[in-house]
Amino acid sequence: MSDSPAKFGDYGGQYVPEVLMPAIEELTDAYERYVLENEDGFMDDFRARLRDFGGRPTPLQHAEQLSARYGTEVYLKREDLVHGGAHKLNNALGQVLLAKYMGKERIVAETGAGQHGTATAMAAAHLGMDCEVYMGRRDITRQRPNVFRMRINGSKVNPVDVGRGTLKEAINETMRDWATNVEDTHYVIGSVVGPHPFPRMVRDFQSVISEEARAQIREKTGGLPDSVVACAGGGSNTMGAFHNFVPDEDVALYAVEAGGSSLDVDEETGVAPNSASLSTGSVGVLHGARTRLLQSRDGQILESHSISSGLDYAGVGPELAHLVDTGRVTPVTVPDDAALEAFHRFSQEEGIIPALETAHAIAYLETADDLGESVIVNISGRGDKDLESVLEETAKRDLANAPEMGVFE
Amino acid sequence: MSEIGEAFRDGPALIPYITAGDPDAESTKAQVRALARGGADIIELGLPFSEPIADGPTIQNAIQRSLDAGMTPQSYLDLVADLDVAVPIVCMTYYNLIYQYGDEPVRAFVEAAAEAGISGLIVPDLPVEESDDLRAACDEFGLDLIFIVAPTTKGERLDRVMEQVSGFVYVQARLGTTGAQADVSTQTHDSLGRLATYDVPKAVGFGVSEGHHAREIVAAGADGVVAGSVFVDLIASGENVTSNLERKARELAEGARTGFEQRVPRPERT
Ligand SMILES: Cc1ncc(COP(=O)(O)O)c(C=O)c1O
């Protein structure tokens, strides 16, 4: 089984309703031909669009204040500078373009933070495709600017009221839409999750991050970094930032998960007040793949929590789970409070407002034991979308570095 | 022949679906009895999973009610063991629950299901590609493993699915998820046409809610009809539930019988 291209060790697979299987076979075939074999020049087209529409390559910036603070050379991979403000465009553009090559007419997507929805809406507008995005009601209220951006780009945003109204529920609803409209519709899944071939394909589209970063750091330092740090929700920016370093055994890889308010499960409410599926989860099957999940002993999926909606998910990509099991990737956690504090510190000291997701990766530097002499931190996205949440969450806390957040009269 | 196979022997089979534990375990027992009185030949009893991606809003809400009321895989199996009806019970659930039960993934659940008296399983998020473990366990403990064929299942893929099916094949009447519909989709007729040469009972579900749907489906060549959301709606309304379930079952069974009489005999069938 583990030799199957659909698996990473025992993780991965294709656990979806039969109605979707023919579409998944068709997609697997298209992925192999266009992405892996560059049929019809697909990858050339994709790379050119990533450059001209997407703004790649992104810089690898030396962070002076952070380097001084942590006594190690800190380099920032600036995915926040990709068009749309996050790494998400790398994948969204790849998949919408692939859908177009496949002759599909309609795009559906789920979104948590709204960043993937925004990237998909932008790619769909750019390539002239119809697009509908499902988003949990709670996330809609947390990430209003992205809701407007999606609509402005011509996409329809469908609120999802089920459950806690976050990413997990949005994925369920998008799968249902796909199952209803599978003949002309492609589901642009937003992370390295879901049934094969999504985890591999999304990783391939995102691996441009580590491809560039690896060349850039060699150019700057003549060698490889000692460690790479990235935040993990589903794990797409993590896998993108890690992929080309995986064979470099001397480069330590840290996946930073959302520790939320606690790493324990609240037995009474059945809520895991975190999204740390690599650190605290167990093996199960969700959204098309066998992977690590936050679940009850019976196998019911738990509601997760994070201050950042893009990390607020009970599952994680199967390849990342496999790399953790084999010891290649180290999972670590950062709680809500520390992420918020890092958000402010980074904004003040480096002049970059990070996404709350990204703030988790940055916060890890504060507690890390030994990152070596140089570290690359993947700045997965910019924080404009989070300003309302930051205002609200900062007001709830007694943060030493909180700026004046009152509204001007 | 398995118990499920038997159910198709004397004319078309009516296969109602309800979610166990909606709104509680005791009510489920009474609901099952009512469906049996109304003429159900097999009953699909849903074991609720928190992420029912193959189900539409009606069944999704039933699952939520059941989970809120505390239904677990263990209390589900206890409930089934307690049932006192002669109708075979098929457990419909999602793979993660089967995978997590007991100490030995998959096998422990199937063993416990067999002990509780379950005759077969339907697992809508488990395509044939991923079903080796469950197939082996079902063979070991004598359960039928029922697969769904969708309107999109064609050609070589259809052969692959049909090779794995036992008991009956669940013919998904239309694209999308479960949910009562006003009409019988033309996709049903196309699917039954593609399946005509396979010698396995064919039961059509997804959207069936009225006696005349059952008539049309059976007249078109189906050996049974599955109806879920329409029963779940009657349960959700909370009024005269058991008598309404019984009446609805009777209407659908009667429709299926009429359809069978109207069926154009197919000379090429052996
Ligand atoms: C800026 C940013 N970083 C990270 C993530 C987490 O997703 P992933 O783990 O797939 O990179 C998101 C998701 O929305 C995001 O918007």
Side-chain angles (χ1 to χ4, degrees), chain B residues 46-90:
Chain B
L47 162 57
F49 176 52
S50 57
E51 319 301 317
I53 54 170
D55 288 298
T58 304
I59 292 178
Q60 196 183 352
N61 288 333
I63 285 173
Q64 198 54 55
R65 289 193 293 272
S66 169
L67 289 174
D68 289 346
M71 180 57 65
T72 67
Q74 192 54 58
S75 53
Y76 173 93
L77 293 170
D78 294 344
L79 189 171
V80 174
D82 250 18
L83 288 174
D84 48 6
V85 291
V87 181
I89 302 291
V90 166

Side-chain angles (χ1 to χ4, degrees), chain A residues 344-400:
Chain A
H344 289 303
R345 189 173 346 94
F346 191 65
S347 301
Q348 291 158 16
E349 295 187 0
E350 292 291 346
I352 300 168
I353 300 177
L356 276 173
E357 290 79 10
T358 311
H360 284 74
I362 298 164
Y364 178 63
L365 302 180
E366 196 76 6
T367 50
D369 284 341
D370 184 15
L371 295 167
E373 284 165 25
S374 65
V375 52
I376 294 176
V377 184
N378 194 31
I379 306 303
S380 59
R382 68 176 193 226
D384 307 39
K385 68 185 175 65
D386 291 318
L387 297 185
E388 281 187 67
S389 297
V390 167
L391 195 73
E392 196 184 309
E393 296 292 336
T394 301
K396 286 186 202 161
R397 291 169 170 83
D398 195 15
L399 291 182

